[in-house]
Amino acid sequence: MIPIVHHPDYVAAPDPQAPPPSRMAQSSKNGLIRDLLMASGARLAWHLPEPMPRRWLEEVHDPDYVAQVLEARVPREKERRIGFPVTPQVAARAQAVPGGTWAAAMLALRHGFAANTAGGSHHALAETGAGYCVFNDLALAAVRLVEEGTVDRLLVVDVDVHQGDGTAALTAGRPGIATYSIHAAKNFPARKARSTLDVSLADGVGDDEYLATLEETLTPLLDEVRPGIVLYQAGVDPFGGDQLGRLALTDDGLARREALVARLMRRRGLPLASTVGGGYGADKPAIARRHVAAILTLGEAMAPSA
């Protein structure tokens, strides 16, 4: 069975007073992902995570910013940078999601693979959120896993079309944590952070070039870092029709990407915990189907009998 982590607070309703782009970002695709997974016929084991404890939020994010979020009093300038208002419901979601990514990592260590049905909030920084991200669940889970001694080393692999700037910045200099980001060079954010390895792609890169570049660059890093687990930001916004993407992957290319990542993990016996990441556009069911396809492809490819 594929371990799936989901919390009811992931499905945060959009603020009707927010402008349309913000409503698009808030209007939770996570409920669609949950429903499509339940209807998929796949053998799934559902797990309810605990919210990330405040002490771990404050280990990565500035305590004043943590308080602003949890008390739903984020200043307007920070809300503008995030892209939507931080209501009490959004605050609850922001604390639940990193707990889910950490829970997925713990399940992956036991089962080889687990998926969080949210997460991948890779733009959030120490003192503010950004780019539709409030708390950085990848950095939070990574720091907790290493600081608690669960693993000595880990690697965050980020294949979202946007660079994982917040994750790179929040984990820079922390022993045992390495970061990899393959992204469109000219996409958000304008100012990139420095990951352990950044792979910048030109606009319009398609399936074959993307997959070859991914394998050529990620393989040696895995062998160099020798992580105890990989946290995977499986954004589907490299898809050619994505509203906020600049690459040209097809649905088949995305499926081949997940199969490639799973193969690299299995060859090395590495546990893999995936998060949802980005995917944008008006056709939310289509976007949710891409996320579900990523989860199921990874889960089936990482299964012991695969």
Side-chain angles (χ1 to χ4, degrees):
M1 299 182 78
I2 302 173
I4 304 292
V5 177
H6 183 81
H7 195 288
D9 285 345
Y10 290 179
V11 187
D15 182 346
Q17 302 303 315
S22 296
R23 288 202 298 273
M24 178 193 75
Q26 288 185 80
S27 179
S28 182
K29 62 187 174 186
N30 306 106
L32 288 170
I33 292 170
R34 173 202 59 203
D35 294 345
L36 287 170
L37 282 169
M38 293 178 69
S40 69
R43 297 180 68 245
L44 309 174
W46 293 86
H47 298 266
L48 179 69
E50 295 289 334
M52 183 65 80
R54 186 166 184 154
R55 65 164 293 226
W56 288 109
L57 296 175
E58 294 177 346
E59 177 68 22
V60 170
H61 292 283
D62 179 78
D64 288 341
Y65 174 60
V66 172
Q68 290 169 353
V69 171
L70 297 185
E71 297 166 18
R73 53 176 182 83
V74 175
R76 293 298 293 273
E77 62 270 19
K78 291 186 181 181
E79 288 187 329
R80 284 194 292 271
R81 189 166 182 181
I82 292 167
F84 49 76
V86 179
T87 63
Q89 190 176 16
V90 170
R93 183 185 190 278
Q95 190 171 11
V97 170
T101 297
W102 178 81
M106 298 299 287
L107 287 163
L109 287 166
R110 294 201 295 272
H111 301 288
F113 173 75
N116 191 6
T117 62
S121 300
H122 58 173
H123 297 309
L125 299 164
E127 297 181 354
T128 184
Y132 307 135
C133 304
V134 181
F135 290 143
N136 192 311
D137 59 293
L138 294 161
L140 285 160
V143 168
R144 184 175 178 183
L145 287 163
V146 171
E147 290 296 319
E148 288 187 330
T150 305
V151 295
D152 293 329
R153 296 180 301 279
L154 64 79
L155 175 64
V156 179
V157 173
D158 190 329
V159 298
D160 196 279
V161 79
H162 308 101
Q163 194 221 20
D165 59 323
T167 310
L170 290 172
T171 60
R174 288 186 179 264
I177 302 176
T179 52
Y180 170 96
S181 179
I182 182 169
H183 51 266
K186 295 181 180 179
N187 214 324
F188 180 88
R191 295 183 62 183
K192 307 291 193 286
R194 179 175 292 182
S195 308
T196 305
L197 178 60
D198 285 299
V199 181
S200 300
L201 301 174
D203 286 5
V205 165
D207 294 348
D208 291 343
E209 181 180 353
Y210 181 97
L211 293 165
T213 304
L214 175 62
E215 184 166 14
E216 290 168 4
T217 55
L218 181 55
T219 300
L221 184 63
L222 287 167
D223 293 335
E224 176 186 345
V225 174
R226 294 179 292 112
I229 188 172
V230 169
L231 305 182
Y232 184 48
Q233 209 276 25
V236 298
D237 43 10
F239 177 71
D242 191 271
Q243 184 171 317
L244 300 183
R246 301 178 74 104
L247 301 182
L249 270 65
T250 64
D251 284 322
D252 179 65
L254 290 172
R256 290 165 58 197
R257 182 189 74 181
E258 312 315 346
L260 169 61
V261 168
R263 174 165 53 83
L264 293 176
M265 300 304 117
R266 291 205 62 199
R267 282 181 176 176
R268 293 160 179 79
L270 295 177
L272 180 71
S274 74
T275 64
V276 165
Y280 305 94
D283 190 349
K284 292 194 181 299
I287 295 166
R289 284 193 294 272
R290 290 188 188 99
H291 288 299
V292 168
I295 291 170
L296 295 181
T297 301
L298 288 166
E300 292 164 6
M302 291 291 293
S305 60

